C-alpha cells in the first residue's frame, strides 16, 4: 500500500528568519509539496515563533485548510489559535523552552492528561482531527486512547538516532508493538521525528502504519536537489 506523506515545511521559515526576509514563502513551498506528492503540509507553531507564525498558519489554512496539519503545544493560547483557523488536523506535542527540536513524546501526568483531554474534546467539537505525539510504549498508547485522540504519532527519535543495527532493531520492535496496540484501540497510526531517505522504510512497513511525517531530511535534500525532487523521491519510497 501507499502510505500518506506529511511534509513539514518549518525549515523553509527557518531560512526566511535567518535572513529576516519575506522569502522563501511557506505558502509557495506548500503548493510545491502538494503538487509533487505530499498528502499533508505539517507546520509547528511554537510559543517563540522561531519559524512558523500565526500569520503563516492563517495564510496556509485560507489556501489549503484541508491539507494543513498543525503541531502545537497544549496551552490555551494554541488551542484558541487552532480553533480560530481550523486546520484539518492538530497534533498536540510537548514543547520545552530553547529546545532545538522536540525531544520526545507527551508526558501524561494527571494534570497534563486532563489538559490534553480538554483540548482534544474542544478541537473535535469543531471538526478538527486530533493526533497526540507519543513515545512508542503501551502506557502512552493507552493514555492517548483514553484522551479520546483520533490519531497517535509515534516518536521515532530514538530509532532514528540508534548507533547500532541491534539497537535499531530493538527500537523498531517497540514501534511495531505500539503500532499494533494503537490499531487494536481504534487509533490511526502515524510516525515521525528524524526519519530520512535511509531509515524510513522499516518504519513505513510496520503493520498498521498509515502516514509518515517528515521535514528536515526533505528540506535538506531540497537545498541541493530542489523541493519537487525531494518530495517526489520520498513519496516514491513510500
Amino acid at each position: 500500500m501507499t502510505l500518506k506523506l506529511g511534509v513539514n515545511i518549518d525549515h523553509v521559515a527557518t531560512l526566511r528568519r535567518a535572513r529576516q526576509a519575506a522569502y522563501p514563502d511557506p505558502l509557495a513551498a506548500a503548493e510545491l509539496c502538494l503538487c509533487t506528492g505530499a498528502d499533508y503540509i505539517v507546520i509547528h507553531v511554537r510559543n517563540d515563533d522561531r519559524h512558523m507564525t500565526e500569520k503563516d498558519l492563517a495564510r496556509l489554512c485560507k489556501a489549503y485548510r484541508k491539507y494543513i496539519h498543525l503541531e502545537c503545544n497544549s496551552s490555551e493560547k494554541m488551542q484558541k489559535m487552532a480553533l480560530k483557523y481550523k486546520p484539518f488536523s492538530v497534533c498536540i506535542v510537548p514543547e520545552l523552552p530553547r529546545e532545538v527540536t522536540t525531544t520526545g513524546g507527551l508526558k501524561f501526568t494527571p494534570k497534563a492528561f486532563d489538559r490534553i483531554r480538554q483540548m482534544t474534546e474542544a478541537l473535535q467539537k469543531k471538526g478538527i482531527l486530533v493526533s497526540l505525539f507519543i513515545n512508542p510504549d503501551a502506557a502512552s498508547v493507552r493514555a492517548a486512547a483514553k484522551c479520546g485522540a483520533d490519531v497517535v504519532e509515534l516518536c521515532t527519535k530514538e530509532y532514528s538516532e540508534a548507533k547500532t543495527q541491534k539497537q535499531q532493531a530493538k527500537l523498531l520492535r517497540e514501534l511495531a508493538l505500539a503500532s499494533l496496540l494503537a490499531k487494536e484501540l481504534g487509533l490511526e497510526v502515524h510516525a515521525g521525528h528524524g526519519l530520512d531517505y535511509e531509515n524510513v522504510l522499516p518504519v513505513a512497513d510496520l503493520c498498521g502504519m498509515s502516514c509518515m511525517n517528515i521535514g528536515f531530511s526533505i528540506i535538506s535534500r531540497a537545498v541541493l536537489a530542489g523541493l519537487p525532487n525531494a518530495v517526489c523521491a520520498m513519496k516514491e519510497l513510500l
Side-chain angles (χ1 to χ4, degrees), residues 198-209:
E198 295 183 359
N199 65 20
V200 68
L201 286 182
V203 179
D205 283 340
L206 295 178
C207 182
M209 197 62 65

Side-chain angles (χ1 to χ4, degrees), residues 72-178:
C72 65
N73 63 42
S74 60
S75 67
E76 291 187 11
K77 171 187 173 182
M78 291 299 170
Q79 177 178 318
K80 289 178 181 177
M81 185 177 66
L83 291 172
K84 180 177 180 179
Y85 300 108
K86 297 182 177 65
F88 174 77
S89 55
V90 169
C91 184
I92 302 174
V93 302
E95 190 174 306
L96 299 174
R98 296 181 296 279
E99 66 183 4
V100 175
T101 185
T102 307
T103 57
L106 291 162
K107 306 295 185 185
F108 292 96
T109 64
K111 182 178 180 181
F113 179 90
D114 290 342
R115 175 63 198 137
I116 292 167
R117 183 170 58 182
Q118 290 170 7
M119 183 169 175
T120 297
E121 291 174 353
L123 295 174
Q124 289 171 332
K125 285 179 181 178
K126 296 299 181 180
I128 300 170
L129 201 71
V130 178
S131 173
L132 301 183
F133 188 75
I134 65 170
N135 292 319
D137 60 70
S140 294
V141 174
R142 292 193 176 98
K146 289 179 181 178
C147 280
D150 303 292
V151 181
V152 287
E153 180 173 345
L154 302 179
C155 177
T156 52
K157 180 180 185 294
E158 290 190 5
Y159 164 81
S160 67
E161 295 176 356
K163 302 300 182 183
T164 66
Q165 289 186 344
K166 182 177 180 180
Q167 183 183 22
Q168 189 177 65
K170 174 181 178 294
L171 294 165
L172 187 64
R173 287 194 296 271
E174 292 178 1
L175 288 163
L177 290 171

